[in-house]
Amino acid sequence: MLPQKISDSLTFDNLNSPQRRAIETTEGPVLVLAGAGTGKTRVLTTRLAYIIEKGLAFPNHILSVTFTNKAAAEMRERVATLVGRATEGFWLGTFHSLAVRILRRHAEVVGLTSDFTILDSDDQQRLLKQIIQAQGIDDKKNPPKMVAAVINRWKDRGLLPNKVSPSEGRGSQMLLAIYQEYQERLRILNAADFGDLLLHNLTIFQTQPAILQSYQSQFRYILVDEYQDTNIAQYLWLRLLAMGHGNICCVGDDDQSIYAWRGAEVGNILRFEEDFAGAMVIRLEQNYRSTPHILGAAAGLISNNSGRFDKTLWTDVDQGEKVTVRGTYDSIQEARFIGDEIEDRQRHGQALSQMAILVRAGYQTREFEDRLLVLGVPYRVIGGQKFYERMEIRDALAYLRIIVQPQDGLAFERIINTPRRGVGASSLQIIHTESRAAGLPLLEATKRLLEEGMIKGSAKNALHQFIKQLEIWRDRLPDMGPGEFAKMILDESGYTEMWRQDKSADSPGRLENLKELINAIKEFDTIQAFLEHVSLVMDTTSTVNNDMVNLMTLHAAKGLEFETVFLPGWEESIFPNARALDENGLEGLEEERRLAYVGITRARQQAIITYAHNRKTFQGWQYSTPSRFIGELPKEHVHLIQASGSEALHGTRTLSGQHPNKSSYSKMDIFEAEFSVEPTHTFKKGGRVFHLKFGYGFVHDIDMDNIKVEFETSGIKTVVADYLEHA
């Protein structure tokens, strides 16, 4: 039996039997399946301290790996407290920080020197743009962000250019050639990107057995946090190092693997017993966070996944309240209901900081932000910017401001070259000089300079066209609805198309935010009224208050916990996300379900799930169906409240896109109604296309904006047209 206390600083009070077994089992491979709220961080840090206090290893003989700098700092602090001394000498940090430590020692093996530079994503894309242009490749069809994403994915899989198979190369010799040239340029520059840090470590270990053996001998014990989030390169790195002493302890939860989109392989944790012979699996199932009803609802939901370890979370606390599932008539009522619930809880003494609204996608925060502002309830957006502070929203607002107020120099300067129009720094300097000298707004100064012929070349034509376009838009303003007008501006200015062509990971989210902005504008009578509203919003949000409601995506919420959690938007196509299902099928559905499990288990006392029967989209009001996940929740753990009014029970949507009401609405099915909307793409059957994830393929069938493609290496997939390009 492990003693309750083995030193003045290290105790095992209040640890349950599985936790103590995970700490005590120091020899051989160990997988600690730590369910949500089961105290995994305490187990991991106490295990590390135990190894040292028992004299099993010196600090520099233990490799302890985390995923974030925050987690590493927290672990250092906890271990220092437990062992009663500083953690100098520990190999404790993120995968990248530990890999760079090894790489600087052996950089010459991969053609670098120890003082190599680490490139960030901007540097990476600039270098790739140089290579793309030097090879005579169209950087609009193959933008650097897209190429970087493909190369980073190869690196996450541990693949150097000479290891990329034809199937991994997605049939694209062009991208592979860019990758080869990119790696050579990095070597000449004595530089590495983040993906190289582990990739070069693998090269060193695989080509220099003596170096690998020295680290295998040094690291008697290896501890890994959040193992379910590892990618293939990280897995290979850990496995090579663990082949020495074989004492590897990985802590994770397959039910919380939600990062496949950034390379995480849930299979790494599911195959642990196959990869490490004789492995012991220890389940931490006693939850210290949530009530039995919350755990029961989450467990019933996640049990629908096939690829998982069996676990049964339990707790000895009181039953608490059932998980509330509430249907609302529309998304306006949903936001009002959540706002009222927050105010009510605050009146009864619950701190705002102990409440969170968790959404599937960032654009969904807008309606809740607006409602909280109306109520005067302070809030913070965690893991992202507030809606009206996001770059694409500020750009769009600048276009509207310059139409309404031509003297707005800040708006003019923000959009004059966004998207790029060939107006360089020298032309802008001339405009600023004239503006100050003549005491004119930037727009008027530009007009004068053009009349006097003071601006030459491509900038002259671009500015002429831009000013003409502003005048046309200003003339149309009185005759158009605010939402329609804003959409026209974004389309005709090329701003929407700019983000459509951008193949970076965040461009789909930016497009969704722009659609949500137009939804917001539609709620106002005039553009001027909307801009005034935004100005007041921005002024209100400057107030500093530590007690604030938390708004964030479900991904950003992982690892956090709150007394009360609101989970809005549980509707088909929103959650589970339609694109995730289109692109990844059953795997995508199971990851979406794991995301739902993470959301529910963030709650300590109350989880409130909401869905709206009618939701305002970019194309108008449409009927929504409740998420399939709601039907998977065990009835004994759920309190279901239907939307008020019989109209909420009908699948209705007006063809005009107007909000349905009690007196008049169409009974036409939403899928039939959608066919009145013309597709915006130009894809044809048999045409060759390219997708960032699935590579090249041919169009097999078309259903409005849903394109069925037979990919050369990925088989037949149905994807949204926005994520394809002509090849």
Side-chain angles (χ1 to χ4, degrees):
M1 172 70 70
L2 189 67
Q4 288 292 319
K5 181 176 180 180
I6 64 173
S7 75
D8 289 336
S9 56
L10 184 59
T11 65
F12 294 92
D13 296 332
N14 301 319
L15 288 173
N16 61 45
S17 295
Q19 288 175 328
R20 292 176 57 165
R21 190 161 67 252
I23 294 165
E24 185 180 17
T25 308
T26 57
E27 304 307 303
V30 177
L31 175 62
V32 180
L33 285 175
T38 57
K40 73 174 180 65
T41 304
R42 186 179 182 190
V43 166
L44 198 62
T45 54
T46 307
R47 177 185 170 93
L48 193 157
Y50 174 73
I51 290 170
I52 294 173
E53 290 294 286
K54 290 287 286 184
L56 301 177
F58 292 110
N60 66 322
H61 292 160
I62 306 172
L63 180 70
S64 187
V65 190
T66 67
F67 266 85
T68 66
N69 290 317
K70 179 182 177 182
E74 180 183 355
M75 193 167 176
R76 281 184 179 277
E77 184 177 340
R78 289 196 187 194
V79 172
T81 300
L82 288 172
V83 302
R85 60 179 182 273
T87 57
E88 281 80 7
F90 283 76
W91 281 70
L92 193 165
T94 64
F95 277 99
H96 286 136
S97 67
L98 295 169
V100 76
R101 190 170 170 182
I102 292 173
L103 183 56
R104 291 208 184 276
R105 290 183 173 184
H106 312 286
E108 69 283 352
V109 175
V110 292
L112 303 174
T113 63
S114 61
D115 60 347
F116 63 84
T117 300
I118 301 175
L119 301 187
D120 60 21
S121 58
D122 287 341
D123 293 330
Q124 181 189 35
Q125 289 167 30
R126 277 197 292 271
L127 179 56
L128 282 169
K129 184 173 183 178
Q130 294 173 14
I131 294 169
I132 290 167
Q133 291 177 341
Q135 293 189 4
I137 298 169
D138 187 343
D139 62 2
K140 288 186 171 56
K141 290 186 177 180
N142 298 277
K145 284 186 179 181
M146 181 272 286
V147 176
V150 174
I151 289 174
N152 291 340
R153 189 168 293 115
W154 281 331
K155 291 186 177 185
D156 286 344
R157 296 179 60 83
L159 299 172
L160 282 164
N162 62 341
K163 297 288 181 67
V164 177
S165 66
S167 60
E168 286 290 344
R170 303 190 181 99
S172 174
Q173 293 303 309
M174 175 193 67
L175 291 176
L176 186 55
I178 293 172
Y179 185 17
Q180 291 170 326
E181 174 64 18
Y182 173 65
Q183 290 302 104
E184 179 60 21
R185 289 287 296 277
L186 286 174
R187 187 189 64 78
I188 294 170
L189 292 169
N190 193 36
D193 61 30
F194 280 99
D196 282 326
L197 301 179
L198 279 163
L199 194 61
H200 285 329
N201 270 220
L202 293 177
T203 299
I204 293 166
F205 292 161
Q206 291 165 347
T207 61
Q208 302 293 321
I211 294 176
L212 173 60
Q213 187 176 12
S214 70
Y215 285 106
Q216 289 175 337
S217 177
Q218 176 182 344
F219 298 133
R220 294 182 58 84
Y221 296 95
I222 298 175
L223 287 76
V224 187
D225 193 12
E226 304 286 10
Y227 188 62
Q228 78 280 350
D229 293 335
T230 53
N231 60 35
I232 291 177
Q234 291 161 343
Y235 158 77
L236 293 172
W237 186 79
L238 289 168
R239 187 166 183 184
L240 284 169
L241 291 172
M243 288 172 64
H245 293 281
N247 300 324
I248 181 170
C249 175
C250 295
V251 181
D253 182 8
D254 54 304
D255 289 337
Q256 297 187 71
S257 179
I258 58 174
Y259 295 118
W261 51 276
R262 67 183 191 195
E265 295 277 348
V266 69
N268 291 345
I269 192 170
L270 296 176
R271 292 193 310 268
F272 189 88
E273 292 174 280
E274 300 173 23
D275 294 334
F276 299 97
M280 176 181 286
V281 178
I282 300 172
R283 288 170 167 79
L284 303 185
E285 297 174 309
Q286 184 175 359
N287 178 280
Y288 295 94
R289 175 189 300 158
S290 305
T291 65
H293 280 309
I294 289 171
L295 296 180
L301 174 67
I302 202 64
S303 67
N304 290 277
N305 274 8
S306 57
R308 64 184 292 267
F309 287 103
D310 286 330
K311 293 184 293 295
T312 304
L313 295 186
W314 62 275
T315 181
D316 56 11
V317 303
D318 294 337
Q319 279 290 99
E321 297 181 53
K322 290 183 177 182
V323 171
T324 298
V325 176
R326 183 183 181 97
T328 63
Y329 175 56
D330 58 21
S331 51
I332 297 173
Q333 188 185 83
E334 180 185 50
R336 185 179 296 118
F337 163 72
I338 289 178
D340 291 346
E341 286 290 308
I342 288 171
E343 280 199 311
D344 184 63
R345 280 166 168 74
Q346 185 186 30
R347 281 193 297 268
H348 285 84
Q350 186 173 144
L352 295 175
S353 60
Q354 286 303 311
M355 292 180 261
I357 302 172
L358 310 182
V359 297
R360 174 59 182 85
Y363 75 89
Q364 292 174 262
T365 68
R366 198 275 305 173
E367 281 189 299
F368 301 104
E369 290 188 55
D370 280 356
R371 184 60 190 165
L372 293 175
L373 287 164
V374 168
L375 296 174
V377 175
Y379 70 92
R380 64 170 68 87
V381 177
I382 295 177
Q385 292 176 302
K386 293 183 176 181
F387 185 81
Y388 292 110
E389 294 175 358
R390 295 168 188 171
M391 178 186 71
E392 63 277 12
I393 301 302
R394 286 184 176 274
D395 288 345
L397 293 177
Y399 271 102
L400 298 178
R401 283 162 47 196
I402 197 67
I403 298 297
V404 172
Q405 179 52 268
Q407 288 77 33
D408 192 333
L410 292 176
F412 176 87
E413 191 170 13
R414 185 176 185 98
I415 63 171
I416 186 58
N417 212 32
T418 305
R420 295 192 181 280
R421 298 183 173 88
V423 181
S426 59
S427 297
L428 285 175
Q429 183 60 45
I430 293 171
I431 293 170
H432 273 285
T433 301
E434 176 68 15
S435 172
R436 287 193 297 269
L440 294 172
L442 292 178
L443 182 58
E444 291 301 317
T446 303
K447 291 179 179 178
R448 176 182 290 189
L449 290 168
L450 289 172
E451 290 169 359
E452 296 174 356
M454 300 299 293
I455 297 178
K456 309 290 185 182
S458 60
K460 174 184 175 181
N461 294 331
L463 288 169
H464 264 303
Q465 182 60 36
F466 179 66
I467 290 172
K468 180 180 179 181
Q469 193 69 64
L470 289 178
E471 291 169 351
I472 292 172
W473 290 335
R474 198 170 290 117
D475 289 340
R476 292 180 183 174
L477 178 60
D479 303 321
M480 299 179 70
E484 182 188 9
F485 181 78
K487 181 181 182 301
M488 178 193 70
I489 295 289
L490 294 178
D491 288 345
E492 293 187 359
S493 66
Y495 191 77
T496 304
E497 185 62 22
M498 179 186 79
W499 286 116
R500 285 182 183 274
Q501 294 299 323
D502 189 293
K503 301 302 178 184
S504 63
D506 58 355
S507 59
R510 295 189 190 280
L511 286 167
E512 290 295 338
N513 290 339
L514 291 172
K515 291 179 180 179
E516 183 60 26
L517 174 68
I518 292 174
N519 288 342
I521 294 172
K522 289 177 181 177
E523 297 174 9
F524 291 81
D525 293 332
T526 65
I527 290 292
Q528 292 92 331
F530 170 73
L531 290 174
E532 183 176 316
H533 163 76
V534 173
S535 298
L536 295 174
V537 164
M538 300 299 284
D539 180 63
T540 304
T541 57
S542 64
T543 304
V544 177
N545 189 334
N546 289 327
D547 189 28
M548 295 184 277
V549 174
N550 303 280
L551 271 73
M552 70 194 83
T553 64
L554 287 159
H555 284 98
K558 187 169 177 289
L560 303 177
E561 59 183 72
F562 307 92
E563 288 295 310
T564 302
V565 167
F566 297 93
L567 299 161
W570 278 44
E571 298 143 34
E572 286 297 305
S573 80
I574 295 179
F575 193 41
N577 179 268
R579 184 159 60 98
L581 303 190
D582 287 344
E583 295 185 357
N584 298 303
L586 179 60
E587 289 182 7
L589 174 61
E590 295 210 340
E591 177 147 330
E592 290 290 292
R593 191 177 284 116
R594 291 195 292 269
L595 198 55
Y597 172 85
V598 166
I600 294 172
T601 55
R602 297 312 92 195
R604 289 196 287 264
Q605 296 295 326
Q606 181 69 72
I608 301 170
I609 296 168
T610 61
Y611 62 93
H613 285 284
N614 299 285
R615 188 168 293 277
K616 198 171 190 178
T617 70
F618 187 58
Q619 295 173 335
W621 286 95
Q622 72 176 31
Y623 176 73
S624 300
T625 57
S627 168
R628 69 192 74 185
F629 296 153
I630 292 176
E632 294 173 355
L633 297 170
K635 291 182 174 60
E636 63 269 25
H637 297 296
V638 171
H639 175 49
L640 177 62
I641 305 172
Q642 291 283 5
S644 59
S646 61
E647 72 280 3
L649 302 177
H650 296 288
T652 62
R653 176 209 183 195
T654 57
L655 289 177
S656 64
Q658 298 299 309
H659 192 301
N661 55 59
K662 296 181 182 180
S663 60
S664 173
Y665 54 81
S666 166
K667 296 265 182 95
M668 180 176 286
D669 185 88
I670 178 60
F671 297 108
E672 182 181 351
E674 284 294 339
F675 282 95
S676 65
V677 182
E678 292 298 320
T680 57
H681 63 79
T682 57
F683 297 111
K684 305 293 182 185
K685 284 187 179 181
R688 195 162 188 258
V689 294
F690 177 79
H691 185 277
L692 178 60
K693 181 172 183 178
F694 302 122
Y696 290 91
F698 292 90
V699 175
H700 186 271
D701 198 8
I702 298 174
D703 180 7
M704 297 299 289
D705 286 331
N706 297 315
I707 314 296
K708 184 178 286 187
V709 180
E710 185 168 359
F711 291 101
E712 294 171 3
T713 61
S714 306
I716 293 178
K717 306 278 187 184
T718 300
V719 297
V720 179
D722 284 353
Y723 302 102
L724 290 172
E725 61 179 38
H726 294 281

